[in-house]
Amino acid sequence: MRADHASYACGAALGFLGDLATGDPRRGHPVAAFGTAALAAERLLWRDHRGAGALYTAVCAGGAAAGAALTVRAVRALGPSRAAHTALTAAATWAVLGGTTLGREARAVGAALAAGDLDAARRRLPHLCGRDPQALDERQIARAVVESVAENTSDAVVGALVWGAVAGVPGLVGFRAVNTLDAMVGHRSPRYRRFGWASARLDDLAGWPGARLTAALATLAGPDPRGAWRAWRQDGHRHPSPNAGPVEASFAGALGVRLGGTLAYGGRVEHRPVLNSGGRPVEAADIERAVRLSRRVGALALGVSVAARLAAGALRPARTGLLPAVRPGAPVRAGRAPHGARGHGLARRARSLGAPGATGGAYGQATARLSAAGRERG
């Protein structure tokens, strides 16, 4: 148990470093392959109905998480070596994280704005978000980039690390699948208003813990912790998205800028509440500050998630050690098993291993096996 958690921690750190070093490849990225498969599933399952969308979400996201769980099981079946599990975790972590590419694209827009090339900045902006760039001026483009950096720090980095800490490789892959589906179909367009409803709501649920951790870490790591906390507390709930609100508000307060306001998506104009109304308008130079804050938040999130995973691994064996020993030769009775229903199940397993006179050794083996089964999801 403890070794599994340690190998996960090592793999997550290696995957994080791999993303820092290489970012996303232009071709052959696993998330792109998932997107291609999801498009094929959409062509088969699309109906203008929430039920069809729920089936689509279950097939795509559930299939991705189940495939990851089966892969983990296959790796374990190869033997007790920790190296294979570490390598699998590193590969999955690298595949689902997108912090380096996020910063790279944001800096590309910032460089175009700094050079006075507004047309180049407009051409590059769709790489980050789905807004209509043609009607945006320099400050509006800079604001869109900072908002995208803030939101995607949660979606592309922190949220994945949180679910990896909770459920290992299936958690990493499942979260990225849900987030990708939301980006593909979680829109309020006529085609996806009903079909994408399930993907959007599931993404809201899956992203909730990561968004709060992102806001907390941005508050702690930003240049103005008090401003970040004040903006988060006062304005985070005013955003139409339950997860983007806290993140964007905390980034706005930390950087001392004003986010939100009028924007356009696919020909549809939205008037969003202003976040951190006391801040100044966003400038091109703030893009680099937002990217640096995003990097710090991602590194802190890695530390928090790895520490939580290791702590869970240290606590689980301690709890199983509280089970009372069984005297050699003493029968194990099912009437008053230790630890309630869980102990009752252990007693039944012990009898199946050792017949009516199961010994303490058999009981200990059953306890160890069941304890080993109670690890990451899948």
Side-chain angles (χ1 to χ4, degrees), residues 69-86:
L70 291 174
T71 303
V72 171
R73 181 171 297 183
V75 168
R76 287 182 185 155
L78 295 176
S81 173
R82 292 167 53 183
H85 187 256
T86 299

Side-chain angles (χ1 to χ4, degrees), residues 137-161:
D137 60 21
E138 178 180 340
R139 283 187 171 179
Q140 290 171 326
I141 290 176
R143 191 194 81 194
V145 173
V146 171
E147 289 173 352
S148 182
V149 167
E151 184 175 1
N152 283 290
T153 299
S154 176
D155 289 342
V157 182
V158 181
L161 292 172

